[in-house]
Amino acid sequence: MNLNERKEELKQLALASKSNGAIIFQLINENVLDVVISKINDKKTNTVVTSLVKKGYLTGNEQFIDILSEFIYYYEKWFAPLSNKKVYIALILEKKFPKFLVCKNYWGDNNFIPYYQFNMKKVIVENMYDNIKFVYNKNQKFFKGVGINNRLSLKNSKSIDVLFDFMKKLIWCNPDEFALFYVFDSYKKSINEIEKNGKTTEEITDYVQNNYYIQWSRLIENYQEKITLIEELFNSII
């Protein structure tokens, strides 16, 4: 099965079987997931609940759609007030190969839930943490105050939890801010997309960095204004 054939089958599976199938269809159709889709193989995944999957297994494509769907549910659960959800999830996944999306472990087996949750959080915070390090020098006091430094390891579950907890709060304090693009998108992509036109790489980097400083200042200002109310809300519902 070539890439285009697999994408067509995946789109039909998404629409036929998932309540968020329209988002999955769009992500596939817009070529956001081409890198990870190219890594899908046809090895079957054995299921543990035949009442849900009567044939007792998922095909490679069915497993991919199942895991991607659960990832989207997870993302929507924690970032419920976020505007432009599909746009931001595309920025999270674009041109990446999150290995958990092609894992053959069955989501319905509780033994694998910690694996999936760790890796879902990890891919969600990756771009944000890169961007934090990019603007860290001008916001060092703030980031240290929320438990973030510029030497965290994304292989460490405690570091991932710190970043994910901060990201949740940042988004709930800024649900419809344009500046959230500077959380979800990668500053490296912004640098690469600017035409040089005689500019040096250093000049382009400085330009992008100044723009990120401005946008992150807005996000931080909103965070500081609203975080007490947001934490009270979290404590009342979680």
Side-chain angles (χ1 to χ4, degrees):
M1 187 180 297
N2 64 36
L3 178 62
N4 288 332
E5 290 170 339
R6 193 176 295 278
K7 287 171 67 174
E8 287 305 312
E9 182 174 313
L10 290 169
K11 286 189 288 186
Q12 297 312 311
L13 283 171
L15 292 177
S17 62
K18 301 297 178 183
S19 60
N20 53 20
I23 292 178
I24 297 173
F25 184 100
Q26 290 175 299
L27 293 172
I28 296 170
N29 203 48
E30 293 168 8
N31 306 319
V32 170
L33 303 172
D34 280 7
V35 172
V36 67
I37 289 173
S38 70
K39 305 294 184 182
I40 298 173
N41 64 54
D42 295 318
K43 181 181 176 183
K44 296 174 181 177
T45 296
N46 293 323
T47 60
V48 295
V49 184
T50 55
S51 61
L52 296 178
V53 185
K54 294 189 181 302
K55 64 180 182 287
Y57 68 87
L58 296 172
T59 66
N61 285 348
E62 289 170 339
Q63 169 73 351
F64 175 78
I65 292 297
D66 198 43
I67 299 305
L68 178 58
S69 181
E70 293 296 342
F71 173 68
I72 293 172
Y73 289 139
Y74 191 79
Y75 163 86
E76 291 181 331
K77 170 186 175 181
W78 292 111
F79 304 141
L82 187 65
S83 301
N84 301 313
K85 287 187 177 69
K86 196 274 291 184
V87 173
Y88 293 131
I89 204 166
L91 294 175
I92 290 171
L93 297 175
E94 187 175 22
K95 297 180 180 177
K96 289 188 179 180
F97 173 39
K99 291 184 179 179
F100 75 90
L101 287 177
V102 294
C103 177
K104 299 302 181 181
N105 295 331
Y106 180 49
W107 172 267
D109 186 333
N110 289 338
N111 292 320
F112 300 125
I113 296 301
Y115 163 82
Y116 280 120
Q117 289 186 343
F118 170 81
N119 283 286
M120 287 177 177
K121 290 179 183 178
K122 180 175 180 291
V123 76
I124 288 171
V125 303
E126 279 175 343
N127 285 350
M128 183 194 72
Y129 186 49
D130 266 353
N131 296 332
I132 285 175
K133 290 186 287 185
F134 192 51
V135 300
Y136 188 78
N137 287 342
K138 281 201 174 181
N139 301 285
Q140 186 171 343
K141 182 177 180 181
F142 169 77
F143 288 123
K144 283 187 174 180
V146 296
I148 296 173
N149 61 53
N150 59 355
R151 299 180 305 279
L152 298 178
S153 170
L154 296 188
K155 295 179 180 179
N156 183 294
S157 61
K158 289 184 179 179
S159 296
I160 293 292
D161 285 343
V162 167
L163 290 167
F164 191 76
D165 184 63
F166 169 70
M167 191 173 189
K168 285 187 299 185
K169 293 174 181 176
L170 185 71
I171 287 168
W172 278 72
C173 291
N174 293 275
D176 57 357
E177 276 289 341
F178 170 79
L180 284 177
F181 279 95
Y182 297 80
V183 174
F184 286 97
D185 204 2
S186 167
Y187 80 87
K188 296 173 185 175
K189 188 176 84 172
S190 299
I191 290 172
N192 290 334
E193 287 178 347
I194 294 177
E195 294 183 10
K196 285 200 168 182
N197 292 332
K199 300 183 183 71
T200 66
T201 301
E202 184 177 357
E203 287 172 332
I204 292 171
T205 301
D206 286 345
Y207 171 80
V208 172
Q209 190 170 46
N210 286 333
N211 200 14
Y212 270 72
Y213 284 147
I214 292 168
Q215 302 301 333
W216 270 87
S217 293
R218 177 62 178 161
L219 294 170
I220 290 170
E221 180 183 343
N222 286 338
Y223 180 98
Q224 291 171 326
E225 288 178 359
K226 301 174 183 177
I227 187 58
T228 300
L229 290 174
I230 293 301
E231 287 182 333
E232 288 177 359
L233 175 64
F234 280 4
N235 290 335
S236 69
I237 64 176
I238 299 176

